[in-house]
């Protein structure tokens, strides 16, 4: 699908589906213009008006102006492309005139590109026969107003961001027998070489030298050796970068504290944090964002076996703190502990980790929000704002000091699980112990948002969502601007 932009519409009737947005406030005008009395302009309503063969108008309800967000524009674009596919029409276009008022034309154009691209994503490489669904060959965005050069630039930038999301989805949708730790590290290396990023991969011996007892312990039961990927963008000796840390468990069986077999296949998605960091680094490099950024991804498998870590084992992490591993299924925090400690080497301006960390977070928010916890108000607010803007909603949970009591260990400094309750927060409290070198740290729990298993959604088919990529790009932009 090719995406192009225009400032003003040409001929009124063009082949394909033409989407037109309408607020409730402008309903009468639209009803009259299209003789569509039944259309009500309610949020997410789509009202199809077939005209000549091969062409149709799609009225898209945007709800009340006051409540309008760019997410509605993304969904409108997605719906338009989807309708063109359903009608087996080759072309789709979205007229942004009716979306006007609240956001600048470039913002709406970017949202339209995202909606079209993210909804059009497919992971079909293992299907022997291609899917019978017709593809759309062109998606045209009619901006209505705005500067043509700026609109073209907005399209180009959004395409780059969506390529980052698609990369994250591709990496995460691969099965764990293909996307092994070494394969994921190779993919990161290949991406870095293609986009001018510096990349190093540490193996087991180097991790031993660094004292990374957390990731070494988790990976010891697996035939596939652990990997630690380091990606650097615009780093200089003096610069204080943002460090992004992504959990990369390529498969989580739970280890000796083994998981039930139901839905265990979903644990191939336990590297979605790492995938988000790799996808975001690609976008950040390709956009040439003027701020230093480091991406760190500890990668390994969590397997049972004769060499596996046992409940009760005590490991020493890179910052010297000892951990009692009471449950081998709470492995994400163990590998992140070493990566967060490693982040301290950069004297970072801010550290943000992202992980499919706790089932409790999915139980709390379902797939409607990413949990966020942190030590710096300003950073957490920036993340929330980025989430609001991109539609990757984030919601804060507290890290009150009293919660520290719940992970105090009998024999070591801390233990990797708490007794009961507050599973998401106590995981955050655990990570905080390893990020104490930096004033500004936040943790994102994407257990509920990393993949979609409930059925196709406007911006994501079933499978990995690529959550975090657009959020990180927006977050880095916020630092580049101030
Ligand atoms: N990867 C899982 C978390 C997870 C589970 C994410 C289901 C998405 C869906 C993580 O490694 C894990 O197993 N966490 C345990 C922690 C517990 C043992 C304290 C959990 O959430 O049950
Ligand atoms: Mn686990
Ligand atoms: Zn896990």
């Amino acid at each position: 699908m090719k995406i192009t932009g225009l400032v003003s519409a040409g001929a009124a009737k063009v082949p394909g589906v033409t989407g037109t947005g309408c607020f409730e406030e402008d309903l009468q005008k639209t009803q009259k213009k299209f003789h569509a009395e039944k259309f009500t302009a309610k949020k997410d309503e789509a009202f199809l008006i077939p005209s000549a063969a091969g062409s149709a108008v799609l009225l898209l309800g945007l709800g009340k102006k006051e409540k309008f967000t760019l997410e509605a524009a993304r969904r409108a674009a997605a719906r338009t492309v989807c309708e063109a596919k359903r009608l087996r029409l080759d072309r789709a276009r979205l007229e942004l005139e009716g979306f006007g008022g609240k956001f600048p034309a470039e913002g709406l154009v970017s949202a339209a590109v995202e909606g079209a691209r993210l909804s059009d994503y497919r992971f079909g490489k293992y299907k022997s026969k291609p899917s019978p669904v017709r593809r759309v060959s062109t998606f045209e965005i009619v901006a209505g107003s705005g500067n043509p050069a700026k609109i073209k630039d907005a399209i180009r930038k959004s395409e780059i961001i969506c390529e980052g999301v698609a990369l994250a989805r591709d990496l995460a949708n691969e099965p764990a027998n293909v996307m092994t730790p070494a394969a994921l590290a190779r993919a990161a290396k290949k991406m870095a070489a293609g986009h001018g990023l510096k990349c190093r991969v540490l193996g087991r011996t180097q991790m031993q030298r660094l004292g990374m007892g957390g990731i070494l312990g988790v990976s010891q039961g697996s035939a596939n050796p652990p990997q630690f990927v380091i990606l650097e963008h615009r780093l200089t000796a003096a610069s204080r970068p943002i460090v992004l840390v992504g959990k990369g468990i390529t498969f989580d069986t739970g280890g000796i504290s083994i998981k039930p077999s139901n839905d265990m296949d979903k644990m191939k998605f336990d590297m979605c944090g790492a995938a988000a960091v790799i996808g975001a680094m690609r976008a950040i490099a390709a956009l040439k964002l003027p701020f230093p950024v480091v991406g760190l991804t500890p990668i390994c498998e969590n397997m049972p076996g004769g060499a596996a870590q046992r409940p009760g084992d005590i490991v020493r992490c890179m910052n010297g703190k000892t951990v009692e591993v009471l449950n081998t299924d709470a492995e994400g925090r163990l590998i992140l502990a070493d990566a967060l400690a490693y982040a301290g080497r950069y004297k970072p301006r801010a550290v943000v980790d992202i992980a499919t960390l706790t089932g409790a977070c999915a139980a709390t928010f379902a797939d409607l929000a990413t949990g966020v916890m942190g030590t710096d108000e300003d950073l957490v607010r920036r993340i929330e704002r980025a989430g609001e803007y991109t539609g990757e909603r984030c919601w804060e949970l507290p890290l009150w000091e009293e919660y520290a009591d719940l992970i105090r260990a009998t024999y070591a400094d801390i233990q990797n699980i708490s007794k009961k309750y507050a599973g998401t927060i106590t995981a955050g409290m655990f990570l905080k112990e390893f990020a104490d070198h930096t004033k500004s740290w936040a943790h994102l729990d994407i257990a509920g948002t990393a993949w979609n298993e409930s059925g196709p959604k406007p911006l994501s088919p079933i499978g990995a969502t690529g959550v975090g990529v657009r959020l990180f790009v927006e977050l880095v932009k916020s630092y580049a601007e101030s």
Side-chain angles (χ1 to χ4, degrees):
M1 184 173 67
K2 193 171 159 10
I3 300 183
T4 59
L6 293 172
V7 171
S8 63
K13 235 171 234 166
V14 289
V17 171
T18 301
T20 303
C22 176
F23 290 109
E24 284 178 33
E25 286 89 339
D26 306 328
L27 178 60
Q28 285 191 343
K29 215 174 66 191
T30 306
Q31 279 182 337
K32 254 214 192 109
K33 184 171 168 191
F34 294 99
H35 308 288
E37 284 71 33
K38 285 194 180 136
F39 178 64
T40 65
K42 292 252 150 44
K43 191 169 166 268
D44 282 332
E45 181 184 356
F47 188 89
L48 189 74
I49 309 169
S51 52
S55 106
V57 170
L58 186 67
L59 302 182
L60 298 154
L62 300 178
K64 296 229 161 51
K65 268 184 193 163
E66 194 191 61
K67 288 197 172 164
F68 177 69
T69 61
L70 289 177
E71 191 66 2
R74 288 184 197 102
R75 293 162 78 105
R79 190 63 192 262
T80 305
V81 171
C82 176
E83 206 64 22
K85 285 181 190 165
R86 198 179 63 84
L87 297 172
R88 305 186 144 273
L89 297 177
D90 189 45
R91 294 172 56 160
R93 52 162 26 199
L94 185 63
E95 294 181 335
L96 292 177
E97 214 183 334
F99 292 72
K102 205 161 163 186
F103 293 95
E106 300 86 61
L108 290 171
V109 168
S110 301
V113 175
E114 287 179 12
R117 272 287 172 246
L118 299 182
S119 70
D120 197 45
Y121 173 87
R122 291 292 175 277
F123 186 77
K125 66 188 276 200
Y126 294 106
K127 294 276 192 194
S128 306
K129 289 199 199 101
S131 125
V133 176
R134 264 278 284 280
R135 306 309 297 262
V136 171
S137 74
T138 53
F139 178 64
E140 218 170 52
I141 302 165
V142 185
S145 65
N147 171 327
K150 278 194 181 164
I151 285 165
K152 206 173 152 204
D153 200 48
I155 293 178
R156 184 186 65 85
K157 287 178 174 157
S158 302
E159 290 273 29
I160 289 173
I161 292 169
C162 293
E163 282 164 19
V165 177
L167 172 61
R169 288 179 177 183
D170 281 344
L171 296 174
N173 283 329
E174 286 286 352
N177 61 324
V178 174
M179 196 50 66
T180 58
L184 186 52
R186 264 199 309 277
K189 251 196 155 143
K190 186 172 157 211
M191 180 283 291
H195 293 86
L197 286 161
K198 251 185 87 180
C199 178
R200 267 178 303 145
V201 180
L202 311 182
R204 185 176 268 144
T205 324
Q206 283 151 305
M207 293 182 218
Q208 281 161 346
R209 246 179 255 139
L210 289 166
M212 293 183 161
I215 183 168
L216 289 168
V218 173
S219 63
Q220 77 189 32
S222 170
N224 297 311
Q227 313 279 333
F228 191 97
V229 176
I230 303 162
L231 297 162
E232 295 174 352
H233 167 75
R234 300 212 169 180
L235 195 68
T236 61
S239 60
R240 296 187 58 204
I242 295 169
V243 182
L244 306 175
V245 180
K247 169 178 172 182
I249 295 288
T250 59
F251 197 80
D252 182 11
T253 65
I256 295 298
S257 314
I258 199 156
K259 286 183 180 296
S261 53
N262 267 350
D263 262 344
M264 202 203 270
D265 59 293
K266 303 300 183 307
M267 285 298 113
K268 71 170 185 175
F269 293 124
D270 213 18
M271 37 61 76
C272 281
V277 168
I278 295 165
M281 291 304 288
R282 184 194 194 274
I284 287 162
L287 291 168
K288 304 186 165 55
L289 294 189
F291 203 92
V293 185
V294 174
L296 302 177
T297 63
I299 307 170
C300 71
E301 245 183 345
N302 188 22
M303 299 292 276
Q309 172 161 260
R310 293 146 291 253
D313 282 6
I314 295 176
V315 296
R316 187 183 297 277
C317 291
M318 189 182 162
N319 68 351
K321 290 189 183 171
T322 55
V323 180
E324 220 172 305
V325 182
L326 294 185
N327 188 317
T328 64
D329 196 12
E331 84 298 339
R333 64 198 77 183
L334 298 172
I335 73 167
L336 289 170
D338 286 327
L340 287 170
Y342 189 91
R345 293 184 151 201
Y346 291 97
K347 308 239 172 302
R349 168 79 168 77
V351 178
V352 184
D353 72 71
I354 180 164
T356 46
L357 206 63
T358 65
C361 192
T364 302
F365 295 118
D367 55 0
L368 295 182
T370 291
V372 50
M373 287 140 268
T375 51
D376 175 23
E377 276 274 330
D378 171 65
L379 173 59
V380 173
R381 295 290 93 79
R382 282 176 195 256
I383 289 170
E384 286 172 346
R385 273 199 300 275
E388 208 46 60
Y389 188 80
T390 58
E392 298 189 333
R393 197 193 266 140
C394 296
W395 201 262
E396 189 182 14
L397 295 170
L399 290 181
W400 294 318
E401 208 32 58
E402 289 90 332
Y403 284 116
D405 296 342
L406 302 185
I407 51 170
R408 232 180 288 288
T410 312
Y411 303 105
D413 298 332
I414 54 174
Q415 58 190 39
N416 75 333
I417 54 166
S418 70
K419 295 267 143 48
K420 213 178 167 185
Y421 305 136
T424 305
I425 292 172
T426 49
M429 290 301 290
F430 181 97
L431 297 178
K432 182 168 164 256
E433 294 291 323
F434 301 87
D436 55 0
H437 48 71
T438 298
K439 280 210 178 73
S440 186
W441 160 77
H443 157 58
L444 301 172
D445 193 328
I446 54 170
T449 49
W451 71 90
N452 168 18
E453 55 178 66
S454 60
K457 289 202 278 184
L459 300 188
S460 168
I462 284 186
T465 59
V467 71
V469 173
R470 289 182 297 135
L471 186 81
F472 281 152
V473 170
E474 222 31 65
L475 181 68
V476 171
K477 269 198 219 160
S478 92
Y479 281 96
E481 281 156 15
S482 68

